[in-house]
Amino acid sequence: MTDSTDPRAEAPSRRRFLAAASASTAGVAVSPLLAAGPAAVQPSGTRPTDKAGDLAHETTVDAGQQLTSNQGLKIADNQNTLKAGVRGPSLLEDQLFREKMTAFDHERIPERVVHARGAAAHGYFQVYEPMARWTRAGFLNDPRARTPVFVRFSTVAGSRGSADTARDVRGFAVKFYTQEGNFDLVGNNIPVFFIQDAIKFPDLVHAAKPEADREIPQASTAHDTFWDFISLMPESTHMIMWIMSDRAIPRSYRMMEGFGVHSFRFVDARGTSRFVKFHWKPLNNGVHGLAWDEAQKLGGKDPDFHRRDLAEAIDAGAFPEWELGVQVVEEADAERLGFDLLDATKIIPEELVPVRPIGKMVLNRNPDNYFAETEQVAYHVGNLVPGIDVSEDPLLQGRMFSYVDTQLTRLGGPNFHEIPINRAVVPVHNMNRDGFHRQTISKGRINYEPSSIDAPPIKEVPANQGGFASAAVPVSGTKLRKRSESFGDHYSQATLFWQSQTPVEQQHIVEALQFELGKVAVPAVRQRMLSNLVNVDATLAARVAEVLGMPVPPASPRTPARRYAPSPALSMLARNNPKSIAGRKVAVLVAPGVDAAGLQAVKSALMSAGAKVRVLSSRLGEVRDAAGGSVPVDDLIVTQPSVVFDAVLVPGGAASVAALKGSADAVHFVREAFKHAKPIAALGEGADLLASAGVLPPQAPGARRPGIQLAPADGAGALAQAFVADIAVHRHWDRGGKDVIAA
């Protein structure tokens, strides 16, 4: 038995996993490259006359070679940063980590390497009551203060030109402009992450990005390199369950949660620190996702769907709101949780430590200029205020270095804090000077500290007068590269997540895995993923394997089948979502001869409830109604497809419905909304269009399908009330027949 403190001891399961899998893909994907390598080498001192040969001088094949640093130093451990003790903080002296992360941070100019495509808004945050028992942070102790915020939402993997609706993590970054300086809570819409140690972040992003030879596919993880990497990283399994769920295709930025991901520290006025995890929970519309088919179509029909939705909601006065909640854990209690709080692949189940709401954030103003604000904003997990500090989480420790390092290239030097969107709202005074894009004109001869020449000199601020002081956390241990044994459980929380999903959500996860792994060309990668999935749940693995045409491997004897009490907080459907329809978009399909009275009655009820109603037809302008009047048309059916709406209304009017039945676009519109489980309502003859589209149930006494409301022409009031209730549910996934509709 090896000594766990000995740096020469065998690394835990990951290294053995890599060794066992090393031959799986090399024979398929790497051998041709290695075979071609020697033929491309030119005699020493000569240059080829053809361009391909010329480029061969600069070409290298890394596959099968020994791993080295940029200086040729052979690397013994590329899995862990250098730490002070197995659970201690990462060390600045780790030159291998800094070299690797610096190279990664500066790969792209000027677009962000990750989180390139984003949308943002201004707003404010207000705490409910003083939080002095936990933290001395000023903005969390003054309920009268409205702290300005700038929030940027983003995808992670795609470029600036990719679509909003790709299956991906969503960034949820909040910059608080507090009276003690800027505090940045830089998180995601998923509470865990793929990896445990920041030294693996460049590898993760390289694997997820378009493959290096052809730069495809864009903004998609459905390709060999991503799943090859993930299949070799069992620690990613929990995150994979989240990313394959509908959390990764949110209906709107307004309808997703946000998480700080890591364990941070609250520090009170006495210097006592406690672990804290941050949660953003939407107050208006709940947490909802897109249908996968819908998300794919939106990528082509409206790639700006999420940023448009956010901007239009704010313009309409439907201001998105989130509640900030915290899970606070005393230092003495952290070891009794059954998992390690420093492990970013783990959550604290809300049933174990409830999320306590402490304040509310409202977004109420759109940016004036995308580049100046949304593109130039620079977040950093190290932007802290007194009373909030970081933990020893090795992923968070690496982010503390990476964020500033990235901005040096992206924003042209060290003075990006002077860009207006990044500038603090309090005075800034220090001895930092000069550099690219310096705006501040610093008067005087002194540019150092301490100094006796200036009177009075610039001076430090003691902690008891508002100065920042790092949490006093004892640190001791052997300097080593190793993963803590407490980080070794990769499957139990993934199983909890799976078992907490409703049957509909489980089916969506299965279909997502079938789609993604069905795009993987290397059989060994698919087989390794099944080996991971079977450790989560045997039924899950079997359902995925069936479509892949592969056998289900046996589960690891170290991960016996487990049954957990489901956590409703982990399910989007089982949770208690708000029932407001404020900001929802409803399409009304009309043609000449429409029943304007019925249309107007339902439209008024929808708008009173906060919905945005758009009238669609085959031509712009106005259409004549059945009574000889006119109805204004907002959009063409062909330019505003059903995938951009939350619900569909078909008013009555025999002539109008007859024209719509003869329109392939109108019929497709209804069928597609039905397939995507959206609420549909029809007045009077409007039911004929639904029947023509094949979305009504077979004729039988009392037969109906959830989320479809029918009423006679004089029943607009009752229909409107039922329709609003259906829209508040958001989707009717239990609707029979939707899966056989071709749309």
Side-chain angles (χ1 to χ4, degrees):
M1 192 170 181
T2 56
D3 180 357
S4 62
T5 63
D6 183 358
R8 297 168 299 176
E10 181 187 14
S13 59
R14 169 161 161 67
R15 196 174 297 279
R16 292 194 295 273
F17 195 90
L18 282 168
S22 61
S24 299
T25 56
V28 175
V30 177
S31 295
L33 294 175
L34 292 176
V41 177
Q42 301 292 323
S44 177
T46 67
R47 300 293 294 181
T49 57
D50 65 293
K51 190 59 183 174
D54 179 49
L55 293 176
H57 266 278
E58 314 302 329
T59 302
T60 182
V61 175
D62 298 320
Q65 304 301 313
Q66 293 183 324
L67 185 65
T68 74
S69 71
N70 286 345
Q71 308 304 316
L73 177 69
K74 294 177 182 177
I75 296 176
D77 187 341
N78 189 42
Q79 315 309 317
N80 303 285
T81 46
L82 189 65
K83 307 178 187 71
V86 71
R87 294 183 70 250
S90 300
L91 300 179
L92 185 62
E93 73 176 72
D94 188 352
Q95 85 282 13
L96 296 178
F97 165 73
R98 285 187 286 110
E99 177 190 88
K100 181 177 180 180
M101 188 60 75
T102 297
F104 170 75
D105 288 342
H106 299 274
E107 284 180 354
R108 303 287 188 273
I109 300 173
E111 183 178 282
R112 287 169 168 88
V113 178
V114 290
H115 297 276
R117 181 171 181 82
H122 294 272
Y124 65 87
F125 171 82
Q126 193 165 11
V127 72
Y128 292 146
E129 60 182 86
M131 294 289 113
R133 62 191 176 282
W134 290 334
T135 175
R136 65 188 185 102
F139 79 104
L140 294 180
N141 279 289
D142 186 358
R144 299 165 301 175
R146 286 189 169 184
T147 301
V149 299
F150 188 69
V151 182
R152 187 178 188 271
F153 305 102
S154 57
T155 56
V156 175
S159 68
R160 279 188 62 188
S162 59
D164 281 347
T165 56
R167 178 177 293 280
D168 200 354
V169 191
R170 296 304 188 282
F172 194 128
V174 182
K175 186 179 288 291
F176 298 83
Y177 302 94
T178 87
Q179 292 303 305
E180 297 176 298
N182 291 351
F183 168 56
D184 291 354
L185 183 53
V186 195
N188 291 330
N189 73 321
I190 291 175
V192 293
F193 203 61
F194 294 97
I195 53 174
Q196 296 172 328
D197 194 301
I199 201 169
K200 301 309 298 174
F201 190 70
D203 298 309
L204 167 68
V205 176
H206 286 166
K209 285 283 189 176
E211 297 187 4
D213 55 352
R214 295 174 179 84
E215 186 70 7
I216 56 175
Q218 174 62 242
S220 172
T221 55
H223 57 98
D224 285 17
T225 59
F226 175 77
W227 289 100
D228 177 44
F229 177 78
I230 292 299
S231 70
L232 295 168
M233 299 288 290
E235 68 199 63
S236 298
T237 307
H238 188 198
M239 180 65 167
I240 286 298
M241 299 307 296
W242 285 81
I243 205 72
M244 292 296 107
S245 77
D246 292 348
R247 298 274 190 156
I249 43 174
R251 159 58 182 84
S252 164
Y253 291 138
R254 301 179 290 120
M255 300 176 199
M256 67 184 195
E257 290 181 291
F259 304 91
V261 180
H262 307 282
S263 294
F264 291 84
R265 292 181 185 274
F266 269 162
V267 185
D268 65 21
R270 298 183 302 277
T272 303
S273 75
R274 300 166 177 86
F275 289 113
V276 60
K277 280 185 175 282
F278 295 105
H279 297 248
W280 292 109
K281 293 186 178 291
L283 291 175
N284 308 74
N285 298 110
V287 184
H288 299 287
L290 296 167
W292 176 229
D293 177 71
E294 180 183 29
Q296 291 176 293
K297 290 175 177 176
L298 277 165
K301 293 177 181 290
D302 187 4
D304 305 307
F305 180 67
H306 282 150
R307 61 173 62 184
R308 189 191 315 279
D309 173 90
L310 178 67
E312 288 183 349
I314 293 173
D315 282 342
F319 300 143
E321 298 179 355
W322 286 264
E323 209 163 41
L324 178 62
V326 294
Q327 290 175 298
V328 179
V329 178
E330 299 288 343
E331 295 264 6
D333 295 332
E335 294 183 5
R336 295 196 284 268
L337 292 174
F339 53 88
D340 200 321
L341 270 180
L342 302 183
D343 181 355
T345 69
K346 302 294 189 296
I347 61 168
I348 306 176
E350 293 188 27
E351 291 74 22
L352 193 61
V353 179
V355 175
R356 179 187 177 93
I358 65 170
K360 184 171 76 171
M361 178 173 72
V362 179
L363 300 185
N364 56 10
R365 182 168 67 86
N366 285 311
D368 293 315
N369 182 278
Y370 183 90
F371 178 81
E373 298 169 274
T374 307
E375 186 61 18
Q376 289 198 119
V377 68
Y379 294 93
H380 175 32
V381 290
N383 287 347
L384 303 166
V385 292
I388 302 176
D389 207 346
V390 298
S391 72
E392 296 76 29
D393 174 346
L395 181 61
L396 177 58
Q397 293 273 311
R399 293 178 74 192
M400 291 288 286
F401 166 77
S402 178
Y403 277 61
V404 169
D405 186 50
T406 298
Q407 309 302 346
L408 294 176
T409 290
R410 194 175 72 82
L411 295 174
N415 292 310
F416 55 85
H417 64 282
E418 296 194 337
I419 296 173
I421 193 63
N422 297 319
R423 198 163 51 220
V425 296
V426 292
V428 173
H429 298 290
N430 54 51
M431 294 300 153
N432 297 335
R433 291 291 189 271
D434 307 338
F436 285 113
H437 311 305
R438 178 73 170 180
Q439 304 297 308
T440 301
I441 301 172
S442 301
K443 295 177 64 175
R445 1 177 357 198
I446 304 304
N447 58 359
Y448 56 90
E449 190 279 327
S451 166
S452 65
I453 296 177
D454 270 352
I458 193 170
K459 58 185 178 180
E460 297 169 335
V461 181
N464 61 7
Q465 297 178 25
F468 179 83
S470 297
V473 180
V475 174
S476 65
T478 304
K479 184 171 68 175
L480 45 73
R481 293 184 188 275
K482 193 173 181 182
R483 200 74 56 94
S484 171
E485 295 289 343
S486 57
F487 281 40
D489 176 10
H490 303 318
Y491 299 112
S492 60
Q493 289 205 356
T495 301
L496 172 64
F497 181 82
W498 166 257
Q499 292 178 356
S500 298
Q501 305 305 297
T502 63
V504 166
E505 291 170 304
Q506 288 185 342
Q507 180 61 27
H508 291 175
I509 292 171
V510 169
E511 291 172 354
L513 284 164
Q514 290 170 344
F515 176 89
E516 295 267 327
L517 296 178
K519 291 274 193 176
V520 172
V522 180
V525 173
R526 299 199 299 267
Q527 190 67 34
R528 282 202 304 272
M529 276 311 304
L530 291 174
S531 295
N532 282 344
L533 294 176
V534 76
N535 291 329
V536 177
D537 185 271
T539 302
L540 164 64
R543 291 166 69 178
V544 175
E546 181 182 8
V547 169
L548 298 180
M550 305 182 78
V552 180
S556 167
R558 292 178 296 175
T559 56
R562 295 147 300 193
R563 195 74 212 170
Y564 298 102
S567 171
L570 300 179
S571 165
M572 291 198 295
L573 301 185
R575 66 194 304 122
N576 184 25
N577 274 310
K579 300 304 182 193
S580 168
I581 70 167
R584 303 296 179 92
K585 293 181 66 176
V586 181
V588 182
L589 305 185
V590 304
V594 66
D595 172 14
L599 184 163
Q600 189 56 46
V602 180
K603 180 179 179 180
S604 296
L606 293 170
M607 295 181 68
S608 295
K612 182 178 180 180
V613 182
R614 306 291 290 179
V615 176
L616 279 60
S617 189
S618 59
R619 54 165 291 178
L620 294 175
E622 297 179 339
V623 299
R624 302 295 293 177
D625 66 29
S630 62
V631 173
V633 174
D634 298 307
D635 298 294
L636 295 174
I637 293 176
V638 294
T639 63
Q640 293 291 315
S642 75
V643 288
V644 306
F645 291 95
D646 296 293
V648 182
L649 170 66
V650 183
S656 174
V657 173
L660 293 172
K661 286 169 62 178
S663 166
D665 292 324
V667 171
H668 178 79
F669 196 104
V670 171
R671 290 169 66 87
E672 196 167 49
F674 177 80
K675 181 180 180 68
H676 297 150
K678 295 177 180 177
I680 302 172
L683 272 173
E685 297 91 345
D688 294 344
L689 177 59
L690 274 56
S692 180
V695 304
L696 293 182
Q699 293 299 317
R704 65 178 301 272
R705 280 177 166 154
I708 295 183
Q709 299 294 336
L710 306 176
D714 59 356
L719 179 133
Q721 185 176 2
F723 193 32
V724 168
D726 280 348
I727 298 171
V729 173
H730 184 68
R731 303 278 180 161
H732 297 270
W733 297 114
D734 56 345
R735 177 188 289 160
K738 62 182 174 59
D739 294 328
V740 300
I741 290 289

